[in-house]
Amino acid sequence: MSATPISVVAEPTQGLALLRSSADAAVLRAAEETKPVIATAEAIVVSDDSSFEYAGAFLKDVKTREKAWDEFFEPMLRDAVDTHKGILARKKEVREPLEKAEGIVKTKVVRYNQEQAEKAARLQREQEAIARKAEEDRRLADAAAAVEAGIPEEAVMETFNAPIVPMSVAPAPPPPKVQGLSFATAYRAEVTGLLELVKFVAANPSHLNLLLANMTALNSMAKAQKEGLAIPGVRVVKEQIARAGSR
């Protein structure tokens, strides 16, 4: 079952393309060689000391292959990561000023749009107040004239105290339309009190999806405390694992 990856040596000046094509060819050949390993693994029956030792030797050989291929691909992975980082750095260098400029101007147009909306609402209220005052003055003059004409005061007051129908006022003109520029209201949640949220979820289990267990912290606690871990709603799971070395 012993097999090692085919070495691919390339000068740095040959670039990643040559490394990639050579690696692809090597991987294809190795894939054909390693295909039987699954069938071999499935056929292994561990039922006595001899088969137990054979399984251990099999695992050792598999780990040796894994390590060899890890070492084979590691330089190319490093080169790919470095290339990716370099491209991202150049992209950031180009986009960062644009994104910053976009954010600056967006802040300004949003502020202006909000100011205009507030100004329009304020103007609307002022115009409605003027119209309401004019209607009240008209009613007051009509009431005085009616009293002088001899109309009963009760009838005059009934008319004077009738609800004032909101006056129709032309809305203030909106900000100019700019092609490609639009506004929307975005909503997001902000947790202002984690304990209050936990209490709410405890009282309303249907909202349990609002909480997420910190499995990284829980697994660290389980690893440290083992059977001593005692947290309601959490149990310690023990799993025996096999570790196979390449030596």
Side-chain angles (χ1 to χ4, degrees), residues 147-160:
V147 170
E148 289 182 3
I151 298 176
E153 185 175 346
E154 290 183 0
V156 173
M157 293 304 297
E158 183 177 350
T159 302
F160 179 79

Side-chain angles (χ1 to χ4, degrees), residues 72-92:
F72 173 76
F73 280 111
E74 186 59 31
M76 285 176 283
L77 287 173
R78 282 198 303 268
D79 289 342
V81 169
D82 291 341
T83 300
H84 182 66
K85 287 181 178 179
I87 293 173
L88 287 179
R90 291 183 179 183
K91 177 183 176 182
K92 180 181 180 181

Side-chain angles (χ1 to χ4, degrees), residues 58-190:
F58 175 84
L59 289 173
K60 180 180 178 181
D61 183 57
V62 168
K63 292 299 294 184
T64 300
R65 295 190 185 198
E66 290 176 355
K67 182 179 179 181
W69 278 110
D70 286 344
E71 293 172 352
F72 173 76
F73 280 111
E74 186 59 31
M76 285 176 283
L77 287 173
R78 282 198 303 268
D79 289 342
V81 169
D82 291 341
T83 300
H84 182 66
K85 287 181 178 179
I87 293 173
L88 287 179
R90 291 183 179 183
K91 177 183 176 182
K92 180 181 180 181
E93 184 179 0
V94 174
R95 284 185 59 90
E96 198 168 55
L98 299 173
E99 292 173 352
K100 185 175 181 179
E102 179 185 3
I104 291 172
V105 176
K106 277 186 174 180
T107 299
K108 293 180 178 181
V109 296
V110 166
R111 181 171 60 246
Y112 177 81
N113 192 62
Q114 291 175 337
E115 289 173 351
Q116 294 306 300
E118 293 170 0
K119 181 179 178 181
R122 184 172 61 254
L123 182 60
Q124 182 89 5
R125 292 191 299 269
E126 291 173 354
Q127 291 177 340
E128 289 176 354
I130 292 172
R132 188 181 303 107
K133 181 65 168 57
E135 174 64 13
E136 291 174 351
D137 291 344
R138 185 192 65 79
R139 288 191 181 192
L140 186 60
D142 289 348
V147 170
E148 289 182 3
I151 298 176
E153 185 175 346
E154 290 183 0
V156 173
M157 293 304 297
E158 183 177 350
T159 302
F160 179 79
N161 293 327
I164 298 178
V165 178
M167 307 301 294
S168 177
V169 179
K177 295 291 184 181
V178 179
Q179 186 175 3
L181 180 64
S182 62
F183 297 90
T185 301
Y187 296 89
R188 63 184 178 85
E190 179 180 343

Side-chain angles (χ1 to χ4, degrees), residues 26 35 37 41 44 83 101 133 154 197 199 203-204 217 224 231 235 242:
K35 278 183 179 179
V37 74
I44 291 177
T83 300
K133 181 65 168 57
E154 290 183 0
L197 175 59
K199 290 179 179 178
N204 301 273
I231 298 178
R235 71 184 180 93

